[in-house]
PDB file of all heavy atoms in Angstrom:
ATOM      1  N   GLY A   1      77.758 117.708 104.892  1.00 98.00           N
ATOM      2  CA  GLY A   1      78.036 116.289 104.820  1.00 98.00           C
ATOM      3  C   GLY A   1      79.436 115.954 105.294  1.00 98.00           C
ATOM      4  O   GLY A   1      80.220 116.828 105.667  1.00 98.00           O
ATOM      5  N   TRP A   2      79.709 114.678 105.288  1.00 98.00           N
ATOM      6  CA  TRP A   2      81.017 114.159 105.630  1.00 98.00           C
ATOM      7  C   TRP A   2      81.535 113.295 104.490  1.00 98.00           C
ATOM      8  O   TRP A   2      80.780 112.495 103.915  1.00 98.00           O
ATOM      9  CB  TRP A   2      80.970 113.317 106.907  1.00 98.00           C
ATOM     10  CG  TRP A   2      80.716 114.103 108.154  1.00 98.00           C
ATOM     11  CD1 TRP A   2      79.518 114.338 108.750  1.00 98.00           C
ATOM     12  CD2 TRP A   2      81.701 114.754 108.959  1.00 98.00           C
ATOM     13  NE1 TRP A   2      79.682 115.090 109.877  1.00 98.00           N
ATOM     14  CE2 TRP A   2      81.002 115.359 110.035  1.00 98.00           C
ATOM     15  CE3 TRP A   2      83.085 114.876 108.884  1.00 98.00           C
ATOM     16  CZ2 TRP A   2      81.672 116.085 111.032  1.00 98.00           C
ATOM     17  CZ3 TRP A   2      83.746 115.601 109.869  1.00 98.00           C
ATOM     18  CH2 TRP A   2      83.039 116.188 110.922  1.00 98.00           C
ATOM     19  N   PHE A   3      82.797 113.462 104.181  1.00 98.00           N
ATOM     20  CA  PHE A   3      83.473 112.672 103.171  1.00 98.00           C
ATOM     21  C   PHE A   3      84.720 112.059 103.774  1.00 98.00           C
ATOM     22  O   PHE A   3      85.194 112.483 104.832  1.00 98.00           O
ATOM     23  CB  PHE A   3      83.855 113.542 101.961  1.00 98.00           C
ATOM     24  CG  PHE A   3      82.685 114.006 101.151  1.00 98.00           C
ATOM     25  CD1 PHE A   3      81.846 115.007 101.612  1.00 98.00           C
ATOM     26  CD2 PHE A   3      82.421 113.434  99.910  1.00 98.00           C
ATOM     27  CE1 PHE A   3      80.769 115.434 100.863  1.00 98.00           C
ATOM     28  CE2 PHE A   3      81.342 113.858  99.149  1.00 98.00           C
ATOM     29  CZ  PHE A   3      80.519 114.855  99.628  1.00 98.00           C
ATOM     30  N   ARG A   4      85.258 111.070 103.106  1.00 98.00           N
ATOM     31  CA  ARG A   4      86.511 110.481 103.552  1.00 98.00           C
ATOM     32  C   ARG A   4      87.336 110.052 102.354  1.00 98.00           C
ATOM     33  O   ARG A   4      86.805 109.793 101.276  1.00 98.00           O
ATOM     34  CB  ARG A   4      86.265 109.290 104.486  1.00 98.00           C
ATOM     35  CG  ARG A   4      85.610 108.087 103.820  1.00 98.00           C
ATOM     36  CD  ARG A   4      85.264 107.037 104.859  1.00 98.00           C
ATOM     37  NE  ARG A   4      84.689 105.842 104.263  1.00 98.00           N
ATOM     38  CZ  ARG A   4      84.186 104.837 104.956  1.00 98.00           C
ATOM     39  NH1 ARG A   4      84.190 104.881 106.287  1.00 98.00           N
ATOM     40  NH2 ARG A   4      83.677 103.779 104.331  1.00 98.00           N
ATOM     41  N   GLN A   5      88.641 109.986 102.580  1.00 98.00           N
ATOM     42  CA  GLN A   5      89.542 109.553 101.529  1.00 98.00           C
ATOM     43  C   GLN A   5      90.650 108.710 102.133  1.00 98.00           C
ATOM     44  O   GLN A   5      91.396 109.180 102.995  1.00 98.00           O
ATOM     45  CB  GLN A   5      90.131 110.745 100.777  1.00 98.00           C
ATOM     46  CG  GLN A   5      90.928 110.346  99.547  1.00 98.00           C
ATOM     47  CD  GLN A   5      91.208 111.522  98.638  1.00 98.00           C
ATOM     48  OE1 GLN A   5      91.188 112.669  99.063  1.00 98.00           O
ATOM     49  NE2 GLN A   5      91.462 111.235  97.374  1.00 98.00           N
ATOM     50  N   ALA A   6      90.726 107.487 101.682  1.00 97.00           N
ATOM     51  CA  ALA A   6      91.771 106.575 102.109  1.00 97.00           C
ATOM     52  C   ALA A   6      92.896 106.590 101.084  1.00 97.00           C
ATOM     53  O   ALA A   6      92.674 106.917  99.917  1.00 97.00           O
ATOM     54  CB  ALA A   6      91.217 105.162 102.265  1.00 97.00           C
ATOM     55  N   PRO A   7      94.117 106.238 101.492  1.00 94.00           N
ATOM     56  CA  PRO A   7      95.234 106.214 100.548  1.00 94.00           C
ATOM     57  C   PRO A   7      94.932 105.343  99.340  1.00 94.00           C
ATOM     58  O   PRO A   7      94.464 104.211  99.474  1.00 94.00           O
ATOM     59  CB  PRO A   7      96.379 105.635 101.378  1.00 94.00           C
ATOM     60  CG  PRO A   7      96.040 105.995 102.783  1.00 94.00           C
ATOM     61  CD  PRO A   7      94.542 105.893 102.861  1.00 94.00           C
ATOM     62  N   GLY A   8      95.180 105.889  98.163  1.00 94.00           N
ATOM     63  CA  GLY A   8      94.959 105.149  96.941  1.00 94.00           C
ATOM     64  C   GLY A   8      93.521 105.077  96.479  1.00 94.00           C
ATOM     65  O   GLY A   8      93.234 104.412  95.477  1.00 94.00           O
ATOM     66  N   LYS A   9      92.621 105.735  97.188  1.00 95.00           N
ATOM     67  CA  LYS A   9      91.212 105.705  96.823  1.00 95.00           C
ATOM     68  C   LYS A   9      90.679 107.108  96.590  1.00 95.00           C
ATOM     69  O   LYS A   9      91.226 108.086  97.094  1.00 95.00           O
ATOM     70  CB  LYS A   9      90.384 105.012  97.901  1.00 95.00           C
ATOM     71  CG  LYS A   9      90.653 103.528  98.047  1.00 95.00           C
ATOM     72  CD  LYS A   9      89.643 102.878  98.974  1.00 95.00           C
ATOM     73  CE  LYS A   9      89.824 101.381  99.024  1.00 95.00           C
ATOM     74  NZ  LYS A   9      88.798 100.733  99.879  1.00 95.00           N
ATOM     75  N   ALA A  10      89.602 107.190  95.827  1.00 95.00           N
ATOM     76  CA  ALA A  10      88.955 108.465  95.581  1.00 95.00           C
ATOM     77  C   ALA A  10      88.192 108.922  96.815  1.00 95.00           C
ATOM     78  O   ALA A  10      87.841 108.123  97.687  1.00 95.00           O
ATOM     79  CB  ALA A  10      88.011 108.344  94.395  1.00 95.00           C
ATOM     80  N   ARG A  11      87.940 110.222  96.876  1.00 96.00           N
ATOM     81  CA  ARG A  11      87.148 110.752  97.968  1.00 96.00           C
ATOM     82  C   ARG A  11      85.737 110.180  97.902  1.00 96.00           C
ATOM     83  O   ARG A  11      85.111 110.143  96.843  1.00 96.00           O
ATOM     84  CB  ARG A  11      87.116 112.274  97.908  1.00 96.00           C
ATOM     85  CG  ARG A  11      86.424 112.914  99.105  1.00 96.00           C
ATOM     86  CD  ARG A  11      86.716 114.407  99.181  1.00 96.00           C
ATOM     87  NE  ARG A  11      88.131 114.661  99.412  1.00 96.00           N
ATOM     88  CZ  ARG A  11      88.647 115.871  99.631  1.00 96.00           C
ATOM     89  NH1 ARG A  11      87.859 116.936  99.651  1.00 96.00           N
ATOM     90  NH2 ARG A  11      89.948 116.015  99.820  1.00 96.00           N
ATOM     91  N   GLU A  12      85.253 109.742  99.046  1.00 97.00           N
ATOM     92  CA  GLU A  12      83.993 109.032  99.135  1.00 97.00           C
ATOM     93  C   GLU A  12      83.028 109.776 100.041  1.00 97.00           C
ATOM     94  O   GLU A  12      83.383 110.154 101.159  1.00 97.00           O
ATOM     95  CB  GLU A  12      84.236 107.620  99.677  1.00 97.00           C
ATOM     96  CG  GLU A  12      82.992 106.817  99.985  1.00 97.00           C
ATOM     97  CD  GLU A  12      83.289 105.547 100.749  1.00 97.00           C
ATOM     98  OE1 GLU A  12      84.328 105.487 101.438  1.00 97.00           O
ATOM     99  OE2 GLU A  12      82.486 104.597 100.646  1.00 97.00           O
ATOM    100  N   GLY A  13      81.813 109.970  99.577  1.00 98.00           N
ATOM    101  CA  GLY A  13      80.794 110.559 100.416  1.00 98.00           C
ATOM    102  C   GLY A  13      80.337 109.576 101.472  1.00 98.00           C
ATOM    103  O   GLY A  13      80.040 108.419 101.168  1.00 98.00           O
ATOM    104  N   VAL A  14      80.266 110.025 102.705  1.00 98.00           N
ATOM    105  CA  VAL A  14      79.898 109.180 103.831  1.00 98.00           C
ATOM    106  C   VAL A  14      78.473 109.447 104.286  1.00 98.00           C
ATOM    107  O   VAL A  14      77.676 108.519 104.455  1.00 98.00           O
ATOM    108  CB  VAL A  14      80.876 109.370 105.000  1.00 98.00           C
ATOM    109  CG1 VAL A  14      80.411 108.585 106.226  1.00 98.00           C
ATOM    110  CG2 VAL A  14      82.278 108.950 104.596  1.00 98.00           C
ATOM    111  N   ALA A  15      78.152 110.704 104.508  1.00 98.00           N
ATOM    112  CA  ALA A  15      76.834 111.070 105.008  1.00 98.00           C
ATOM    113  C   ALA A  15      76.511 112.492 104.611  1.00 98.00           C
ATOM    114  O   ALA A  15      77.399 113.340 104.530  1.00 98.00           O
ATOM    115  CB  ALA A  15      76.768 110.929 106.532  1.00 98.00           C
ATOM    116  N   GLY A  16      75.246 112.759 104.364  1.00 98.00           N
ATOM    117  CA  GLY A  16      74.796 114.093 104.036  1.00 98.00           C
ATOM    118  C   GLY A  16      73.562 114.455 104.829  1.00 98.00           C
ATOM    119  O   GLY A  16      72.796 113.584 105.237  1.00 98.00           O
ATOM    120  N   MET A  17      73.382 115.742 105.056  1.00 97.00           N
ATOM    121  CA  MET A  17      72.218 116.238 105.781  1.00 97.00           C
ATOM    122  C   MET A  17      71.702 117.504 105.118  1.00 97.00           C
ATOM    123  O   MET A  17      72.442 118.468 104.934  1.00 97.00           O
ATOM    124  CB  MET A  17      72.547 116.513 107.241  1.00 97.00           C
ATOM    125  CG  MET A  17      71.392 117.160 108.011  1.00 97.00           C
ATOM    126  SD  MET A  17      71.747 117.423 109.769  1.00 97.00           S
ATOM    127  CE  MET A  17      71.438 115.763 110.390  1.00 97.00           C
ATOM    128  N   ALA A  18      70.424 117.505 104.773  1.00 95.00           N
ATOM    129  CA  ALA A  18      69.776 118.680 104.230  1.00 95.00           C
ATOM    130  C   ALA A  18      69.438 119.651 105.356  1.00 95.00           C
ATOM    131  O   ALA A  18      69.486 119.309 106.538  1.00 95.00           O
ATOM    132  CB  ALA A  18      68.504 118.290 103.480  1.00 95.00           C
ATOM    133  N   SER A  19      69.086 120.872 104.974  1.00 91.00           N
ATOM    134  CA  SER A  19      68.767 121.885 105.969  1.00 91.00           C
ATOM    135  C   SER A  19      67.557 121.515 106.810  1.00 91.00           C
ATOM    136  O   SER A  19      67.436 121.975 107.951  1.00 91.00           O
ATOM    137  CB  SER A  19      68.548 123.240 105.297  1.00 91.00           C
ATOM    138  OG  SER A  19      67.474 123.183 104.367  1.00 91.00           O
ATOM    139  N   ASP A  20      66.666 120.688 106.263  1.00 92.00           N
ATOM    140  CA  ASP A  20      65.485 120.277 107.008  1.00 92.00           C
ATOM    141  C   ASP A  20      65.719 119.035 107.856  1.00 92.00           C
ATOM    142  O   ASP A  20      64.784 118.525 108.472  1.00 92.00           O
ATOM    143  CB  ASP A  20      64.298 120.056 106.069  1.00 92.00           C
ATOM    144  CG  ASP A  20      64.530 118.953 105.050  1.00 92.00           C
ATOM    145  OD1 ASP A  20      65.580 118.288 105.106  1.00 92.00           O
ATOM    146  OD2 ASP A  20      63.654 118.764 104.191  1.00 92.00           O
ATOM    147  N   GLY A  21      66.949 118.546 107.895  1.00 93.00           N
ATOM    148  CA  GLY A  21      67.287 117.422 108.735  1.00 93.00           C
ATOM    149  C   GLY A  21      67.290 116.071 108.056  1.00 93.00           C
ATOM    150  O   GLY A  21      67.679 115.077 108.687  1.00 93.00           O
ATOM    151  N   ARG A  22      66.861 116.008 106.822  1.00 96.00           N
ATOM    152  CA  ARG A  22      66.916 114.735 106.103  1.00 96.00           C
ATOM    153  C   ARG A  22      68.356 114.285 105.948  1.00 96.00           C
ATOM    154  O   ARG A  22      69.251 115.103 105.750  1.00 96.00           O
ATOM    155  CB  ARG A  22      66.256 114.851 104.733  1.00 96.00           C
ATOM    156  CG  ARG A  22      64.740 114.997 104.776  1.00 96.00           C
ATOM    157  CD  ARG A  22      64.181 115.160 103.378  1.00 96.00           C
ATOM    158  NE  ARG A  22      64.597 116.419 102.786  1.00 96.00           N
ATOM    159  CZ  ARG A  22      64.491 116.713 101.503  1.00 96.00           C
ATOM    160  NH1 ARG A  22      63.970 115.827 100.655  1.00 96.00           N
ATOM    161  NH2 ARG A  22      64.884 117.903 101.055  1.00 96.00           N
ATOM    162  N   THR A  23      68.576 112.991 106.020  1.00 98.00           N
ATOM    163  CA  THR A  23      69.922 112.442 105.959  1.00 98.00           C
ATOM    164  C   THR A  23      70.024 111.343 104.921  1.00 98.00           C
ATOM    165  O   THR A  23      69.034 110.712 104.554  1.00 98.00           O
ATOM    166  CB  THR A  23      70.355 111.883 107.323  1.00 98.00           C
ATOM    167  OG1 THR A  23      69.445 110.854 107.732  1.00 98.00           O
ATOM    168  CG2 THR A  23      70.371 112.983 108.374  1.00 98.00           C
ATOM    169  N   ASN A  24      71.245 111.122 104.476  1.00 98.00           N
ATOM    170  CA  ASN A  24      71.534 110.029 103.577  1.00 98.00           C
ATOM    171  C   ASN A  24      72.932 109.514 103.899  1.00 98.00           C
ATOM    172  O   ASN A  24      73.809 110.298 104.268  1.00 98.00           O
ATOM    173  CB  ASN A  24      71.458 110.464 102.119  1.00 98.00           C
ATOM    174  CG  ASN A  24      71.472 109.293 101.168  1.00 98.00           C
ATOM    175  OD1 ASN A  24      70.914 108.235 101.460  1.00 98.00           O
ATOM    176  ND2 ASN A  24      72.109 109.467 100.010  1.00 98.00           N
ATOM    177  N   TYR A  25      73.128 108.211 103.741  1.00 98.00           N
ATOM    178  CA  TYR A  25      74.385 107.587 104.093  1.00 98.00           C
ATOM    179  C   TYR A  25      74.870 106.679 102.983  1.00 98.00           C
ATOM    180  O   TYR A  25      74.077 106.083 102.251  1.00 98.00           O
ATOM    181  CB  TYR A  25      74.241 106.743 105.364  1.00 98.00           C
ATOM    182  CG  TYR A  25      73.851 107.523 106.586  1.00 98.00           C
ATOM    183  CD1 TYR A  25      72.515 107.710 106.918  1.00 98.00           C
ATOM    184  CD2 TYR A  25      74.822 108.071 107.417  1.00 98.00           C
ATOM    185  CE1 TYR A  25      72.154 108.428 108.045  1.00 98.00           C
ATOM    186  CE2 TYR A  25      74.471 108.787 108.544  1.00 98.00           C
ATOM    187  CZ  TYR A  25      73.136 108.961 108.854  1.00 98.00           C
ATOM    188  OH  TYR A  25      72.784 109.674 109.982  1.00 98.00           O
ATOM    189  N   ALA A  26      76.176 106.570 102.891  1.00 98.00           N
ATOM    190  CA  ALA A  26      76.752 105.566 102.024  1.00 98.00           C
ATOM    191  C   ALA A  26      76.386 104.181 102.546  1.00 98.00           C
ATOM    192  O   ALA A  26      76.282 103.970 103.758  1.00 98.00           O
ATOM    193  CB  ALA A  26      78.273 105.719 101.963  1.00 98.00           C
ATOM    194  N   ASP A  27      76.186 103.256 101.630  1.00 98.00           N
ATOM    195  CA  ASP A  27      75.810 101.908 102.037  1.00 98.00           C
ATOM    196  C   ASP A  27      76.817 101.295 103.004  1.00 98.00           C
ATOM    197  O   ASP A  27      76.447 100.530 103.898  1.00 98.00           O
ATOM    198  CB  ASP A  27      75.663 101.007 100.810  1.00 98.00           C
ATOM    199  CG  ASP A  27      74.438 101.332  99.987  1.00 98.00           C
ATOM    200  OD1 ASP A  27      73.508 101.975 100.508  1.00 98.00           O
ATOM    201  OD2 ASP A  27      74.407 100.932  98.804  1.00 98.00           O
ATOM    202  N   SER A  28      78.070 101.635 102.839  1.00 97.00           N
ATOM    203  CA  SER A  28      79.119 101.035 103.648  1.00 97.00           C
ATOM    204  C   SER A  28      79.056 101.433 105.123  1.00 97.00           C
ATOM    205  O   SER A  28      79.662 100.763 105.962  1.00 97.00           O
ATOM    206  CB  SER A  28      80.494 101.396 103.081  1.00 97.00           C
ATOM    207  OG  SER A  28      80.682 102.795 103.060  1.00 97.00           O
ATOM    208  N   VAL A  29      78.342 102.503 105.442  1.00 98.00           N
ATOM    209  CA  VAL A  29      78.300 102.971 106.827  1.00 98.00           C
ATOM    210  C   VAL A  29      76.896 102.971 107.416  1.00 98.00           C
ATOM    211  O   VAL A  29      76.736 103.283 108.608  1.00 98.00           O
ATOM    212  CB  VAL A  29      78.911 104.381 106.976  1.00 98.00           C
ATOM    213  CG1 VAL A  29      80.311 104.421 106.379  1.00 98.00           C
ATOM    214  CG2 VAL A  29      78.019 105.435 106.328  1.00 98.00           C
ATOM    215  N   LYS A  30      75.898 102.619 106.638  1.00 98.00           N
ATOM    216  CA  LYS A  30      74.528 102.608 107.143  1.00 98.00           C
ATOM    217  C   LYS A  30      74.401 101.684 108.346  1.00 98.00           C
ATOM    218  O   LYS A  30      74.895 100.562 108.341  1.00 98.00           O
ATOM    219  CB  LYS A  30      73.559 102.176 106.047  1.00 98.00           C
ATOM    220  CG  LYS A  30      73.284 103.241 105.011  1.00 98.00           C
ATOM    221  CD  LYS A  30      72.284 102.765 103.964  1.00 98.00           C
ATOM    222  CE  LYS A  30      71.988 103.857 102.959  1.00 98.00           C
ATOM    223  NZ  LYS A  30      71.067 103.396 101.898  1.00 98.00           N
ATOM    224  N   GLY A  31      73.740 102.184 109.366  1.00 98.00           N
ATOM    225  CA  GLY A  31      73.567 101.418 110.584  1.00 98.00           C
ATOM    226  C   GLY A  31      74.699 101.559 111.570  1.00 98.00           C
ATOM    227  O   GLY A  31      74.561 101.130 112.723  1.00 98.00           O
ATOM    228  N   ARG A  32      75.809 102.150 111.145  1.00 98.00           N
ATOM    229  CA  ARG A  32      76.964 102.311 112.024  1.00 98.00           C
ATOM    230  C   ARG A  32      77.297 103.777 112.289  1.00 98.00           C
ATOM    231  O   ARG A  32      77.734 104.125 113.380  1.00 98.00           O
ATOM    232  CB  ARG A  32      78.196 101.631 111.424  1.00 98.00           C
ATOM    233  CG  ARG A  32      78.025 100.138 111.213  1.00 98.00           C
ATOM    234  CD  ARG A  32      79.345  99.486 110.822  1.00 98.00           C
ATOM    235  NE  ARG A  32      79.859 100.013 109.555  1.00 98.00           N
ATOM    236  CZ  ARG A  32      81.007 100.670 109.427  1.00 98.00           C
ATOM    237  NH1 ARG A  32      81.782 100.879 110.486  1.00 98.00           N
ATOM    238  NH2 ARG A  32      81.408 101.102 108.234  1.00 98.00           N
ATOM    239  N   PHE A  33      77.100 104.626 111.288  1.00 98.00           N
ATOM    240  CA  PHE A  33      77.410 106.045 111.416  1.00 98.00           C
ATOM    241  C   PHE A  33      76.126 106.849 111.503  1.00 98.00           C
ATOM    242  O   PHE A  33      75.085 106.454 110.959  1.00 98.00           O
ATOM    243  CB  PHE A  33      78.205 106.546 110.212  1.00 98.00           C
ATOM    244  CG  PHE A  33      79.617 106.047 110.119  1.00 98.00           C
ATOM    245  CD1 PHE A  33      80.079 105.008 110.918  1.00 98.00           C
ATOM    246  CD2 PHE A  33      80.489 106.624 109.217  1.00 98.00           C
ATOM    247  CE1 PHE A  33      81.379 104.550 110.821  1.00 98.00           C
ATOM    248  CE2 PHE A  33      81.793 106.181 109.112  1.00 98.00           C
ATOM    249  CZ  PHE A  33      82.241 105.146 109.910  1.00 98.00           C
ATOM    250  N   ALA A  34      76.194 107.993 112.147  1.00 98.00           N
ATOM    251  CA  ALA A  34      75.051 108.891 112.239  1.00 98.00           C
ATOM    252  C   ALA A  34      75.517 110.337 112.152  1.00 98.00           C
ATOM    253  O   ALA A  34      76.405 110.756 112.897  1.00 98.00           O
ATOM    254  CB  ALA A  34      74.287 108.669 113.539  1.00 98.00           C
ATOM    255  N   ILE A  35      74.924 111.074 111.231  1.00 98.00           N
ATOM    256  CA  ILE A  35      75.210 112.492 111.099  1.00 98.00           C
ATOM    257  C   ILE A  35      74.154 113.264 111.888  1.00 98.00           C
ATOM    258  O   ILE A  35      72.973 112.921 111.878  1.00 98.00           O
ATOM    259  CB  ILE A  35      75.233 112.918 109.614  1.00 98.00           C
ATOM    260  CG1 ILE A  35      75.677 114.375 109.465  1.00 98.00           C
ATOM    261  CG2 ILE A  35      73.886 112.679 108.949  1.00 98.00           C
ATOM    262  CD1 ILE A  35      75.910 114.786 108.008  1.00 98.00           C
ATOM    263  N   SER A  36      74.578 114.294 112.576  1.00 97.00           N
ATOM    264  CA  SER A  36      73.663 115.103 113.365  1.00 97.00           C
ATOM    265  C   SER A  36      74.217 116.512 113.474  1.00 97.00           C
ATOM    266  O   SER A  36      75.351 116.779 113.065  1.00 97.00           O
ATOM    267  CB  SER A  36      73.444 114.503 114.758  1.00 97.00           C
ATOM    268  OG  SER A  36      74.653 114.463 115.495  1.00 97.00           O
ATOM    269  N   LYS A  37      73.425 117.410 114.023  1.00 96.00           N
ATOM    270  CA  LYS A  37      73.874 118.783 114.192  1.00 96.00           C
ATOM    271  C   LYS A  37      73.317 119.380 115.468  1.00 96.00           C
ATOM    272  O   LYS A  37      72.289 118.947 115.984  1.00 96.00           O
ATOM    273  CB  LYS A  37      73.471 119.642 112.996  1.00 96.00           C
ATOM    274  CG  LYS A  37      71.963 119.762 112.795  1.00 96.00           C
ATOM    275  CD  LYS A  37      71.630 120.616 111.586  1.00 96.00           C
ATOM    276  CE  LYS A  37      70.123 120.710 111.372  1.00 96.00           C
ATOM    277  NZ  LYS A  37      69.792 121.547 110.196  1.00 96.00           N
ATOM    278  N   ASP A  38      74.015 120.369 115.956  1.00 94.00           N
ATOM    279  CA  ASP A  38      73.580 121.162 117.095  1.00 94.00           C
ATOM    280  C   ASP A  38      73.602 122.605 116.622  1.00 94.00           C
ATOM    281  O   ASP A  38      74.663 123.220 116.536  1.00 94.00           O
ATOM    282  CB  ASP A  38      74.504 120.952 118.294  1.00 94.00           C
ATOM    283  CG  ASP A  38      74.018 121.672 119.538  1.00 94.00           C
ATOM    284  OD1 ASP A  38      73.335 122.700 119.434  1.00 94.00           O
ATOM    285  OD2 ASP A  38      74.335 121.193 120.655  1.00 94.00           O
ATOM    286  N   ASN A  39      72.439 123.121 116.298  1.00 89.00           N
ATOM    287  CA  ASN A  39      72.369 124.474 115.753  1.00 89.00           C
ATOM    288  C   ASN A  39      72.870 125.522 116.742  1.00 89.00           C
ATOM    289  O   ASN A  39      73.487 126.516 116.347  1.00 89.00           O
ATOM    290  CB  ASN A  39      70.936 124.805 115.335  1.00 89.00           C
ATOM    291  CG  ASN A  39      70.494 124.033 114.113  1.00 89.00           C
ATOM    292  OD1 ASN A  39      71.307 123.646 113.279  1.00 89.00           O
ATOM    293  ND2 ASN A  39      69.195 123.814 113.989  1.00 89.00           N
TER     294      ASN A  39
END
């Protein structure tokens, strides 16, 4: 997955990907960010 941390804020999960390719995104980035992999 990907996480981010802005100054003064807690670390926030951005996107996750399971081994089978399933993905999940934080509401704040849905539709704008995409997680992918190249095995």
Side-chain angles (χ1 to χ4, degrees):
W2 290 94
F3 291 74
R4 67 187 183 187
Q5 188 166 22
K9 292 189 175 183
R11 186 166 296 186
E12 173 191 25
V14 175
M17 175 177 280
S19 60
D20 62 4
R22 289 178 293 166
T23 59
N24 192 36
Y25 298 90
D27 289 341
S28 60
V29 307
K30 285 181 178 177
R32 299 189 298 117
F33 290 12
I35 186 172
S36 62
K37 63 181 179 180
D38 185 332
N39 290 333

